[in-house]
Amino acid sequence: MLGITLVELTLATIHLKTDFPPKYVLNGIYLILTLAKAFYIIAEFMHLRHELKNLIMTIGGAALLFVWFIIAFLWDGNSFKDLRNRYDRHHFEQSKEQAPKAAEEPAAKKPGAAE
């Protein structure tokens, strides 16, 4: 697990300094490495590597259902946010308003300066 984490940190450092690899490729690599770490945690720390297949499938199915719930709730929340922003009259009016420009203040006089 330490090795995978070091690879992730190395990739992040390289990306910050050179913008390589592209962000979408980097996100895919992170997803694969995170799934590898999750498999390792389930297999070793939950001691499922040497259990019966039925127990593994029971716990794995529940874990997948939990991940599906998280994705569904995030998707639904984002949809609600988009709909609220589209039909909320106050938000619609605020989004069209221009920010006021700061008025230029006269330069402050230094104490003791000649006028």
Side-chain angles (χ1 to χ4, degrees), residues 44-81:
E44 292 300 323
F45 296 118
M46 293 177 67
H47 307 289
L48 285 181
R49 181 174 288 182
H50 308 291
E51 291 293 337
L52 298 173
K53 293 290 182 192
N54 288 338
L55 180 64
I56 294 172
M57 295 304 282
T58 302
I59 294 174
L64 288 176
L65 189 62
F66 182 70
V67 169
W68 178 77
F69 280 148
I70 290 173
I71 291 170
F73 288 142
L74 289 173
W75 194 310
D76 187 50
N78 188 44
S79 173
F80 176 75
K81 179 191 68 146

Side-chain angles (χ1 to χ4, degrees), residues 6-94:
L6 289 175
V7 168
E8 288 175 340
L9 289 173
T10 303
L11 285 172
T13 305
I14 291 170
H15 179 73
L16 284 176
K17 295 185 187 278
T18 63
D19 287 338
F20 181 81
K23 193 169 186 169
Y24 65 92
V25 173
L26 196 61
N27 287 343
I29 293 171
Y30 285 152
L31 183 65
I32 292 168
L33 292 175
T34 302
L35 289 174
K37 284 198 301 191
F39 172 77
Y40 182 74
I41 289 170
I42 290 172
E44 292 300 323
F45 296 118
M46 293 177 67
H47 307 289
L48 285 181
R49 181 174 288 182
H50 308 291
E51 291 293 337
L52 298 173
K53 293 290 182 192
N54 288 338
L55 180 64
I56 294 172
M57 295 304 282
T58 302
I59 294 174
L64 288 176
L65 189 62
F66 182 70
V67 169
W68 178 77
F69 280 148
I70 290 173
I71 291 170
F73 288 142
L74 289 173
W75 194 310
D76 187 50
N78 188 44
S79 173
F80 176 75
K81 179 191 68 146
D82 289 343
L83 286 173
R84 184 192 63 195
N85 290 344
R86 184 179 306 149
Y87 294 113
D88 183 17
R89 193 173 293 163
H90 176 73
H91 175 78
F92 187 71
E93 291 168 1
Q94 292 294 325

